[in-house]
């Protein structure tokens, strides 16, 4: 039996939803992570600080007894966002980041940004006060092929923004391409990226070859194998600019298994086992702690968690549920199509 001890991990990109879905899925994140950056793309997006405070309260109220878990709140950037409200939320210690969704890019992004010029006053204020911007990095131009949308976003939007506001702290969320890795690696300061569990494990063949598999559909869509290998190299490199943001994003099965299915993959339950397996395959278990528990905290100016977890490698593959039942319907759990052997042991929560 092999085991390793690491600091308790953080998830720097998480969708918790609301209501019955929140109640059903939150325990899986709070069992595995100490803290998470909560995405604001609810059906009624989290736009103002007052919305973030109310949403935070609903999350805390839904936590199972005995789970310690801190939600870090984000605001959803719109063209009407008020820089003063953003700054007030930040000064209160409530708002940890602002999320830029190009309008129409993904789930509940209709209120997002159409014209970057219209949000420059907010971005300038954020640069001044040191509040990070999280970016969904895809163009929405229908003329751009879906597999190229990240690369074109870097060229058209991110590089000019990076030059215009060098002091703005930017996290390129859920990078999916070598272009994303190279962009982040080429920057000397204030730039980082999250990488999801699933983008480390699957490529576009998993979604499309031999039949269409809606439970592997997410945005940005998974790319060809060479991109997956770049992401694995970045994640396991020890470079502090890359850290885990699971993008665990549940949708009830009927909304994925239909003619126009939603984007999102639910990984909260088995993420740590999946990521540990990837790091083992890459011979990089000594760098796992950096990726899941240190680099993200450092970028967001937080101390890493003091609490430790033990990861134990079992001889037999673990059995995770294939689906979970929530008050908002059944949700399919990410199937990494490989045996998972790393299990988490924590002193205070029975697993
Ligand atoms: O796959 C995704 N699901 N990508 C996103 O950008 C949004 C997310 C969701 O909210 O379902
Ligand atoms: Zn997301």
């Amino acid at each position: 039996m092999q085991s390793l001890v690491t600091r308790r991990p953080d998830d720097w990109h998480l969708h918790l939803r609301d209501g019955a879905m929140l109640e059903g899925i939150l325990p899986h994140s709070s069992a595995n992570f100490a803290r998470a950056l909560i995405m604001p793309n609810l059906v009624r997006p989290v736009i103002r600080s007052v919305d973030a405070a109310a949403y935070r309260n609903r999350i805390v109220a839904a936590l199972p007894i005995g789970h310690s878990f801190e939600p870090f709140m984000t605001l959803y950037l719109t063209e009407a966002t008020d820089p003063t409200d953003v700054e007030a939320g930040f000064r209160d210690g409530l708002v940890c980041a602002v999320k830029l969704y190009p309008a129409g890019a993904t789930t509940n992004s209709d209120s997002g940004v159409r014209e970057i010029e219209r949000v420059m006053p907010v971005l300038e204020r954020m640069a001044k006060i040191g509040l990070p911007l999280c970016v969904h990095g895809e163009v929405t131009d229908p003329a751009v092929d879906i597999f190229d949308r990240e690369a074109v976003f870097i060229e058209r939007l991110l590089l000019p923004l990076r030059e215009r506001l060098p002091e703005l702290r930017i996290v390129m969320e859920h990078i999916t391409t070598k272009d994303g890795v190279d962009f982040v690696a080429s920057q000397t300061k204030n730039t980082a990226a999250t990488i999801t569990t699933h983008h480390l494990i699957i490529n576009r063949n998993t979604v499309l070859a031999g039949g269409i598999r809606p439970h592997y559909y997410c945005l940005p869509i998974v790319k060809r194998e060479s991109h997956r290998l770049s992401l694995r190299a970045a994640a396991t490199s020890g470079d502090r600019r890359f850290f885990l943001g699971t993008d665990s994003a549940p949708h009830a099965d009927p909304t994925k298994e239909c003619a126009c299915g939603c984007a999102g993959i639910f990984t909260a339950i088995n993420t740590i086992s999946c990521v540990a397996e990837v790091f083992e395959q890459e011979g990089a278990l000594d760098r796992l702690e950096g990726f899941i528990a240190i680099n993200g905290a450092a970028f967001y100016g937080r101390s890493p968690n003091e609490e430790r977890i033990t990861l134990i490698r079992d001889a037999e593959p673990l059995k995770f549920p294939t689906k979970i039942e929530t008050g908002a319907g059944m949700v399919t759990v990410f199937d990494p199509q490989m045996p998972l052997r790393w299990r988490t042991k924590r002193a205070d929560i029975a697993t």
Side-chain angles (χ1 to χ4, degrees), residues 64-101:
I65 293 166
H67 282 212
S68 66
F69 174 80
E70 193 179 353
F72 290 144
M73 306 313 291
T74 61
L75 294 180
Y76 183 119
L77 183 61
T78 74
E79 293 178 357
T81 293
D82 172 8
T84 308
D85 179 61
V86 171
E87 179 165 357
F90 172 65
R91 300 263 178 234
D92 283 350
L94 170 72
V95 172
C96 298
V98 173
K99 177 75 188 265
L100 187 163
Y101 289 103

Side-chain angles (χ1 to χ4, degrees), residues 15 17 41 106-107 136 174 218-219 247 249 251 263-264:
H15 297 270
R17 315 300 192 206
N41 63 332
T106 188
T107 309
H136 181 108
H174 43 52
C218 65
L219 286 170
D247 200 14
H251 292 273

Side-chain angles (χ1 to χ4, degrees), residues 298 314 326 341:
D314 285 337
T326 75
R341 295 197 178 83

Side-chain angles (χ1 to χ4, degrees), residues 43-55:
V43 177
R44 275 191 50 229
V46 180
I47 293 174
R48 297 182 55 84
S49 293
V50 61
D51 305 324
Y55 185 31

